[in-house]
Amino acid sequence: MQKFAVFVSGNGSNLQAIMDAVKAKKIKAELALVFCDNHKAYALKRAKAAGIKTLVLEKKNYATPQSYDRDIVISLKREEIDFVVLAGYMKLLTPYFIKKYPQQILNVHPSLLPSFKGRKGIKDAFTYGVKVTGVTIHIVDDKMDHGPIIMQEGFKIPPNDTLEVLEKRIHALEHKMYPKAIQLFVDGRVKIRGRKVKILEKDKG
Ligand code: GRF
């Protein structure tokens, strides 16, 4: 069975959805490690409650982003991690890291990329006044919120939505989509050709 790590920085609601999906065998891979860059993150409590191994390394203890990522990679290789799932991880991965897991890192972003990249995707879309927004799941490359798109789903924003309500809608959609995208990836159905991702038919055999 493939092994994967989830990277978190904060609340960890996507981590929770992923852990629930692993438990329900909707994701058929082993969640072997939760990595966190912040020892105060609530996500760590969730991981511990589920009995998943955690690792916390804080960037302030490292001289350079690359030395930080090098230590993370050493731990991942020790755990024989096959692929990495970013779920609200607020640090940019270095090119060094990305080369160690080429096309083996997934990310969820709370807008319809390429619109509203960055840390405040939901708020930025809301403030801009877009009528349609959504969620993007993509492969991570060396530019922020940029790699080939695996899955994207949008919806019309009801006119009376507050930012708080919209955030809830986005998170609920993320929790539905991300486990599905991860399982497609585990099944080898995500075929990447340049920027285009083709989802292969389910093997009927
Ligand atoms: C999510 O909206 C995700 O798209 C973004 O950060 C947020 C993390 O939320 N990258 P949580 O920690 O999974 O609750």
Side-chain angles (χ1 to χ4, degrees), residues 7-18 43 46 86-90 107-111 118-119 121-122 135-136 145 167 170-171 174-175 178:
F7 281 30
V8 291
S9 297
N11 176 30
S13 68
N14 279 285
L15 168 67
Q16 190 65 56
I18 293 164
R46 297 181 189 266
L86 307 183
Y89 183 61
M90 291 304 178
N107 185 39
V108 60
H109 186 77
S111 74
R119 286 164 172 253
I122 307 174
V135 169
T136 305
D145 299 331
E167 280 169 350
I170 292 281
H171 293 312
E174 289 180 330
H175 303 160
Y178 213 6

Side-chain angles (χ1 to χ4, degrees), residues 59-135:
K59 210 166 183 172
K60 62 176 190 283
N61 301 323
Y62 289 82
T64 64
Q66 182 162 329
S67 59
Y68 181 62
D69 275 7
R70 197 187 312 120
D71 259 14
I72 303 172
V73 167
I74 289 170
S75 296
L76 297 183
K77 297 290 177 189
R78 194 185 302 131
E79 297 292 335
E80 300 177 325
I81 298 296
D82 296 300
F83 69 96
V84 172
V85 170
L86 307 183
Y89 183 61
M90 291 304 178
K91 299 262 184 306
L92 270 184
L93 296 174
T94 58
Y96 166 85
F97 187 111
I98 293 162
K99 276 194 202 98
K100 295 288 176 185
Y101 281 93
Q103 300 188 329
Q104 302 289 313
I105 309 168
L106 278 62
N107 185 39
V108 60
H109 186 77
S111 74
L112 293 175
L113 290 174
S115 292
F116 308 110
K117 296 178 181 183
R119 286 164 172 253
K120 299 189 282 84
I122 307 174
K123 191 172 178 209
D124 290 346
F126 182 80
T127 310
Y128 196 89
V130 293
K131 302 291 188 199
V132 172
T133 190
V135 169

